[in-house]
Amino acid sequence: MRFRAFIDGAARGNPGPAGAGVYVSAEENLPSEEHFEALGQQTNNVAEYRALLLALKRAAERGASEVSIASDSLLLVQQMLGKFKVRATHLQPLFVDALQRAKAFRRFSIAHVPREDNK
């Protein structure tokens, strides 16, 4: 089963009150879904990773074998693709968790999309 999602995380201030959101596209007779998570005081980058983790958790719950993620966070995407190092120590555990979860799927892809296309 395919799982396609758009993710976003944000913090008002950096750090500040933060949240993560996931929009899952309708697929194989399953309706579209929206998921949100309040994160308390976090940075923008933590919020972006938490959105990815929320999407990967939902993909596993739906029994997906192929996962495709779209994000407007260039940093997150490039780190997940192995093109940027994860230097921030507070992001490293989130990165490792996301990478391990992504490897559980037969196929995993993540792509950067412009902010205006991430709705």
Side-chain angles (χ1 to χ4, degrees):
M1 181 184 92
R2 291 183 50 185
F3 179 92
R4 295 182 305 148
F6 289 84
I7 64 169
D8 201 4
R12 188 175 304 270
N14 200 22
V22 177
Y23 172 80
V24 180
S25 300
E27 198 73 45
E28 296 184 25
N29 299 324
L30 294 172
S32 63
E33 301 176 12
E34 293 180 355
H35 301 277
F36 306 96
E37 182 178 21
L39 304 173
Q41 296 287 315
Q42 295 294 340
T43 66
N44 285 324
N45 292 329
V46 167
E48 296 285 2
Y49 267 102
R50 293 290 295 270
L52 174 59
L53 291 168
L54 186 60
L56 294 173
K57 178 183 174 191
R58 187 62 190 128
E61 290 170 352
R62 283 179 69 162
S65 58
E66 297 181 20
V67 175
S68 176
I69 303 290
S71 171
D72 61 18
S73 171
L74 184 61
L75 179 74
L76 170 80
V77 171
Q78 295 298 329
Q79 287 176 338
M80 288 299 295
L81 294 174
K83 295 181 180 180
F84 289 0
K85 290 184 179 182
V86 183
R87 291 195 168 103
T89 57
H90 70 287
L91 295 180
Q92 289 171 352
L94 298 169
F95 168 75
V96 169
D97 189 8
L99 205 56
Q100 288 174 342
R101 288 175 188 253
K103 287 180 181 179
F105 302 103
R106 186 169 57 87
R107 280 193 180 154
F108 172 79
S109 64
I110 188 166
H112 179 256
V113 294
R115 181 168 288 141
E116 59 271 8
D117 293 339
N118 195 23
K119 297 180 181 181

